[in-house]
């Protein structure tokens, strides 16, 4: 199956949370992700997001912010967090 995930490297994020020197990596990742989500939510022009196949995690964040969302009979949406 094709997937529109756009998610992060879960292992790297876990390490950034559990290793003392790695905290900034996870913080930077989520800052960038949420800034992008905010830009999509507030963009002045229409944004179409086509979610065919598996749409999870970061892909859901992108899709939810789009002004127009398209799903198909083959779409599988999930927010595992």
């Amino acid at each position: 199956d094709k997937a529109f995930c756009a998610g992060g490297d879960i292992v790297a994020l876990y390490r950034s949370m559990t290793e003392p020197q790695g905290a900034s990596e996870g913080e930077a990742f989520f800052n960038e992700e949420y800034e992008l989500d905010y830009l999509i939510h507030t963009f002045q022009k229409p944004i179409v997001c086509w979610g065919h196949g598996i749409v999870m995690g970061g892909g859901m964040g992108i899709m939810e912010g789009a002004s127009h969302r398209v799903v198909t009979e083959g779409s599988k949406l999930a927010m595992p967090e």
Side-chain angles (χ1 to χ4, degrees), residues 4-18:
F4 177 52
C5 181
D9 180 344
I10 300 302
V11 173
L13 288 171
Y14 174 79
R15 285 188 188 133
S16 77
M17 292 185 300
T18 58

Side-chain angles (χ1 to χ4, degrees), residues 55-66:
V55 181
M56 295 179 69
M60 282 293 292
I62 292 171
M63 188 172 207
E64 289 167 355

Side-chain angles (χ1 to χ4, degrees), residues 7-72:
D9 180 344
I10 300 302
V11 173
L13 288 171
Y14 174 79
R15 285 188 188 133
S16 77
M17 292 185 300
T18 58
E19 295 174 4
Q21 70 277 16
S24 62
E25 181 182 339
E27 184 178 338
F29 172 82
F30 284 109
N31 280 339
E32 285 184 37
E33 179 181 354
Y34 294 145
E35 282 180 24
L36 174 62
D37 291 345
Y38 180 77
L39 287 172
I40 292 170
H41 275 273
T42 59
F43 199 67
Q44 297 293 319
K45 295 182 179 181
I47 296 176
V48 177
C49 184
W50 184 281
H52 176 71
I54 301 167
V55 181
M56 295 179 69
M60 282 293 292
I62 292 171
M63 188 172 207
E64 289 167 355
S67 58
H68 299 78
R69 295 171 291 277
V70 179
V71 294
T72 68

